[in-house]
Amino acid sequence: MRTDLALVLTAALLLDTFWSNNGERASRGPCQPGFSQSFYSVLISRDLLQSQGILKGTTVSSQKVIFDDCMGNEAVVFQSSDPVFSVQTDGSIFAQGEGASLEEPVQFKLTATGPHAHAWETVVQLALIDPASPQKNENEVTEKEGKVIDSKDKREVLPMPPQPPPVIMFSGSGLNSTNGLRRQKRDWVIPPINVAENSRGPFPQMLVSIRSDQDQDISIRYSITGVGADQPPNEVFSIDPVLGKMFVTKPLDREHRSSYHLRAHAVDMNGNQVENPIDLYIFVIDMNDNRPEFKNQVYNGSVDEGSKPGTYVMHLSAFDADDNTTANGMVRYRILSQTPHSPIPNMFTINSETGDIVTVAPGLDREKVSQYTIIVQATDMEGNLNFGLSNTATAIITVTDINDNPPMMTSRTFSGEVPENRVDVVVANLTVIDADQPHSPNWNAIYRIISGDPSGHFTIRTDPVTNDGLVTVVKSVDFEMNRAFMLTVVVSNQAHLATGIQSSLQSTAGVTISVQDVNEPPYFPTNPKHIRFEEGVPTGSSLTTFSASDPDRLQMQQTIRYSKLNDPADWLSINRTDGQIVTTGLLDRESVYVKNNIYEATFLATDNGSPAASGTGTLQIYLIDINDNPPALIPRESQICERINKKVNGVNITAADADMDPNAGPFVFELPNYPSSIRRNWTISRINGDYARLGLRYQIYLEPGVYEVPIIVSDSGNPPLSDRSVIKVKVCPCDENGDCTTLGAVAAAGLGTGAIISILICIIILLSMVLLFVVWIKRREKERQTKQLLIDPEDDVRDNILKYDEEGGGEEDQDYDLSQLQQPDSLEHIITKPPGVRRVDERPIIPESQYPIRPVVPHPGDIGDFIHEGLRAADNDPTAPPYDSLLVFDYEGSGSTAGSVSSLNSSSTGDQDYDYLNDWGPRFKKLADMYGGGDDD
């Protein structure tokens, strides 16, 4: 009874699903490319299985995979991820490999591709089913072991709707039928369970009921495992352990997780497994709960001005998180607005499916509108504004410049002027206008001179800022040759003009350039001028005429005057009027002013123009060598062994000649006939044309010493020149290597033993004198440091009592105390004396000055400085004698026959100059002030 109920419920569910799908298909709008379902569950009859499995090429089911690309399915190809099963172009499923078995359900991904860029995917599941398996209720799965109906009509598989109900395939372990047959145990497969996302409940919401037919005999406990049950996220699904009802406990989100795979278990009270676990596949049905989202809020694109309709501009794309195989995720695009509306409001259109923006009308002109702003809307539900969700983005389209505007001169004629002989000067400024984008190749101007300047005197440079043409002189012009130039100039751009654009007549202009005449300097036609002369040309000889020309032929005839600008050796002079060159000195090729046989002088030619102009010319004189220099012997000193040595048997000699070949070598070396001892002791042997060897004759022995050997050297000139030179040869004893010994070198210098001893004695005496002088200097310095500065008694001006012959005196003169006039032995009474006027000549009680200490070994130049420093210290030292103190003498009584000293006066009758007292130092300063005034008194 329970089985029949389940069969009825399943059939009702199947019929409801069939009609609902057909109703949806009938109400579907325009064609939507893709598969009809995102999941296909296909049940296959076991009759197809052979002993080796399903044969290759066998169609496994009459159920087909439905696909439509809305283009007739031309060139559509299906690709399967399973190596055994695949789908043909008509949608039928077949075995593409041998021995395919379906003991376990098989799932594979199917991809449809074609000439279009898009690809679509779906999932196909294949499973076996018994021919007599009854249909079950969609929400109830029953496990039962019992009789199987063998009716022939039940073996046929009914056409499956797009979403078939769950089917159970079970077997018993040994159930007897009427004819005694036993079925083998088989697995059972549950079709996917679809659950809509964002369900509002109430929760928990029942999904399916799982039962085992053994629950009538024993108590069964049901459980589920997998992601969403006992694995994170936990407790999304639950099951009643007694009744087997499975529930969803919360709303599902397909964008977070689109499917779940659970396993259902049935155990007894002891935990023993009663049935094999079954797989439950739960798919979350998409709902339109996500708006399309643009990757960027602002998109930037560009299109050339003047583009034709249909020109691609840019691409926009929006992403919808909903299922893109359903209308929920199918996005469509449209343009909401365009700014500005020039020249028309709809200059662009957008492909509703791809998001490509293209032009739909001509008239794009950057010079009028350089940028467009477009608002694009993306809507899902295939663009249905009533049900779909929308979003917007901004597309900024920049109209890029093309060279559709030729440059045009602002005037048809331009003019300028230039002084002759000037270069790198701008003589005219050409102005141009161009409507294209500034500072781009379409705007940058290029100027060309097409006529009027065959010699290339001018060029036109482009000002990078203003785009003006600067006519510049690159090759000097001559007023006498061309007084004016008529140039034809054409202007163009760096970039070529766009197709269909012609050059303007204003791209060509005429330029008139006038040449201004200036006073040009004279010039030497041949510069530098080369002449050849033999050296030794006599003074006053005329060499050449070095004349200049005046380029100002059209002006009044000008006079040219010549002068010498540079003549290093002062050998030449030039005639002021005609430029004739005359020698003023002897030309010498061997002079230091001659380089590589060439003597160079510079001359100046000046006209009488206003202002005067001058030009320079260079005269190069090539001096031909003559034999005017005799050869000179080399070397002038040498040494030789007193006896002939095997290794060294002479001195190699040569000669140097300031002349050139053939007036130089080869040389001839000869010994003179006089004195006769030269040829008797010495000999010369020729080595080559430039070298000879001087040596002693065989068995000739000379005393060590220096010998002067005269040698006559002759060159090869015509006539030859000779020179008698003397070589000093040092004859000395030699060691075995042919080198002079030390004693031999001294002896060869011409000094005997006595002379050497005398020289040594003189050196010793000289050293002794120097040593004695140094000792004397040190001793004298030491004495100066130990002795105090002594004053000559005659120069001592202190008040001392001088003893004179006693001539007697009166009584009054005998009454005086001589002790008052004596120098006290002690200064204690002076120190203790109360302050006031002192009578005696006292030494001031102040620190004594420190006199400069002279160095131990003074420099001779320091002696005078030392004396002057000592004198200056003594003059400024108040403690040095004589002491500057007030002297008070006792009253000697009255009646002296001597008058007052104030009555004394000079007996001189004439004026006397006392200014020299100022030079005597500070001690005579008072006296100088008294008498030096002279006329002031």
PDB file of all heavy atoms in Angstrom, residues 843-849 877-879:
ATOM      1  N   ARG A 843     118.004 105.190  44.378  1.00  0.00           N
ATOM      2  CA  ARG A 843     117.549 104.303  43.286  1.00  0.00           C
ATOM      3  C   ARG A 843     116.062 103.964  43.494  1.00  0.00           C
ATOM      4  O   ARG A 843     115.680 103.542  44.570  1.00  0.00           O
ATOM      5  CB  ARG A 843     118.354 103.006  43.282  1.00  0.00           C
ATOM      6  CG  ARG A 843     117.994 102.055  42.184  1.00  0.00           C
ATOM      7  CD  ARG A 843     118.942 100.882  42.191  1.00  0.00           C
ATOM      8  NE  ARG A 843     118.644  99.964  41.102  1.00  0.00           N
ATOM      9  CZ  ARG A 843     119.384  98.891  40.816  1.00  0.00           C
ATOM     10  NH1 ARG A 843     120.463  98.625  41.537  1.00  0.00           N
ATOM     11  NH2 ARG A 843     119.050  98.126  39.808  1.00  0.00           N
ATOM     12  N   PRO A 844     115.246 104.214  42.536  1.00  0.00           N
ATOM     13  CA  PRO A 844     113.802 103.929  42.712  1.00  0.00           C
ATOM     14  C   PRO A 844     113.554 102.472  43.076  1.00  0.00           C
ATOM     15  O   PRO A 844     114.227 101.570  42.550  1.00  0.00           O
ATOM     16  CB  PRO A 844     113.195 104.256  41.348  1.00  0.00           C
ATOM     17  CG  PRO A 844     114.194 105.158  40.694  1.00  0.00           C
ATOM     18  CD  PRO A 844     115.534 104.748  41.198  1.00  0.00           C
ATOM     19  N   ILE A 845     112.606 102.303  43.980  1.00  0.00           N
ATOM     20  CA  ILE A 845     112.277 100.934  44.432  1.00  0.00           C
ATOM     21  C   ILE A 845     111.162 100.401  43.525  1.00  0.00           C
ATOM     22  O   ILE A 845     109.991 100.413  43.852  1.00  0.00           O
ATOM     23  CB  ILE A 845     111.841 100.944  45.899  1.00  0.00           C
ATOM     24  CG1 ILE A 845     112.843 101.697  46.758  1.00  0.00           C
ATOM     25  CG2 ILE A 845     111.691  99.492  46.391  1.00  0.00           C
ATOM     26  CD1 ILE A 845     114.252 101.130  46.689  1.00  0.00           C
ATOM     27  N   ILE A 846     111.525  99.982  42.353  1.00  0.00           N
ATOM     28  CA  ILE A 846     110.567  99.402  41.393  1.00  0.00           C
ATOM     29  C   ILE A 846     111.226  98.230  40.723  1.00  0.00           C
ATOM     30  O   ILE A 846     112.453  98.103  40.748  1.00  0.00           O
ATOM     31  CB  ILE A 846     110.130 100.445  40.349  1.00  0.00           C
ATOM     32  CG1 ILE A 846     111.349 100.962  39.592  1.00  0.00           C
ATOM     33  CG2 ILE A 846     109.352 101.590  40.965  1.00  0.00           C
ATOM     34  CD1 ILE A 846     110.989 101.914  38.466  1.00  0.00           C
ATOM     35  N   PRO A 847     110.461  97.334  40.143  1.00  0.00           N
ATOM     36  CA  PRO A 847     111.078  96.164  39.469  1.00  0.00           C
ATOM     37  C   PRO A 847     111.958  96.612  38.333  1.00  0.00           C
ATOM     38  O   PRO A 847     111.646  97.533  37.583  1.00  0.00           O
ATOM     39  CB  PRO A 847     109.875  95.362  38.950  1.00  0.00           C
ATOM     40  CG  PRO A 847     108.734  95.810  39.778  1.00  0.00           C
ATOM     41  CD  PRO A 847     108.996  97.254  40.132  1.00  0.00           C
ATOM     42  N   GLU A 848     113.074  95.931  38.223  1.00  0.00           N
ATOM     43  CA  GLU A 848     113.998  96.247  37.151  1.00  0.00           C
ATOM     44  C   GLU A 848     113.509  95.643  35.827  1.00  0.00           C
ATOM     45  O   GLU A 848     112.877  94.600  35.796  1.00  0.00           O
ATOM     46  CB  GLU A 848     115.386  95.683  37.481  1.00  0.00           C
ATOM     47  CG  GLU A 848     116.009  96.314  38.684  1.00  0.00           C
ATOM     48  CD  GLU A 848     117.431  95.815  38.930  1.00  0.00           C
ATOM     49  OE1 GLU A 848     117.862  94.978  38.084  1.00  0.00           O
ATOM     50  OE2 GLU A 848     118.047  96.217  39.868  1.00  0.00           O
ATOM     51  N   SER A 849     113.848  96.372  34.775  1.00  0.00           N
ATOM     52  CA  SER A 849     113.456  95.887  33.445  1.00  0.00           C
ATOM     53  C   SER A 849     114.313  94.706  33.036  1.00  0.00           C
ATOM     54  O   SER A 849     115.468  94.596  33.450  1.00  0.00           O
ATOM     55  CB  SER A 849     113.596  97.011  32.405  1.00  0.00           C
ATOM     56  OG  SER A 849     112.763  98.087  32.756  1.00  0.00           O
ATOM     57  N   ASP A 877     114.392 102.606  30.959  1.00  0.00           N
ATOM     58  CA  ASP A 877     114.452 101.954  32.270  1.00  0.00           C
ATOM     59  C   ASP A 877     114.740 103.001  33.326  1.00  0.00           C
ATOM     60  O   ASP A 877     115.858 103.546  33.381  1.00  0.00           O
ATOM     61  CB  ASP A 877     115.530 100.871  32.243  1.00  0.00           C
ATOM     62  CG  ASP A 877     115.562 100.096  33.552  1.00  0.00           C
ATOM     63  OD1 ASP A 877     114.646 100.303  34.376  1.00  0.00           O
ATOM     64  OD2 ASP A 877     116.492  99.290  33.742  1.00  0.00           O
ATOM     65  N   PRO A 878     113.786 103.338  34.173  1.00  0.00           N
ATOM     66  CA  PRO A 878     114.045 104.367  35.221  1.00  0.00           C
ATOM     67  C   PRO A 878     114.971 103.874  36.305  1.00  0.00           C
ATOM     68  O   PRO A 878     115.462 104.658  37.117  1.00  0.00           O
ATOM     69  CB  PRO A 878     112.643 104.666  35.752  1.00  0.00           C
ATOM     70  CG  PRO A 878     111.850 103.429  35.480  1.00  0.00           C
ATOM     71  CD  PRO A 878     112.401 102.850  34.208  1.00  0.00           C
ATOM     72  N   THR A 879     115.233 102.596  36.396  1.00  0.00           N
ATOM     73  CA  THR A 879     116.122 102.079  37.459  1.00  0.00           C
ATOM     74  C   THR A 879     117.574 102.074  37.028  1.00  0.00           C
ATOM     75  O   THR A 879     118.452 101.740  37.821  1.00  0.00           O
ATOM     76  CB  THR A 879     115.704 100.657  37.830  1.00  0.00           C
ATOM     77  OG1 THR A 879     115.879  99.801  36.691  1.00  0.00           O
ATOM     78  CG2 THR A 879     114.236 100.613  38.246  1.00  0.00           C
TER      79      THR A 879
END
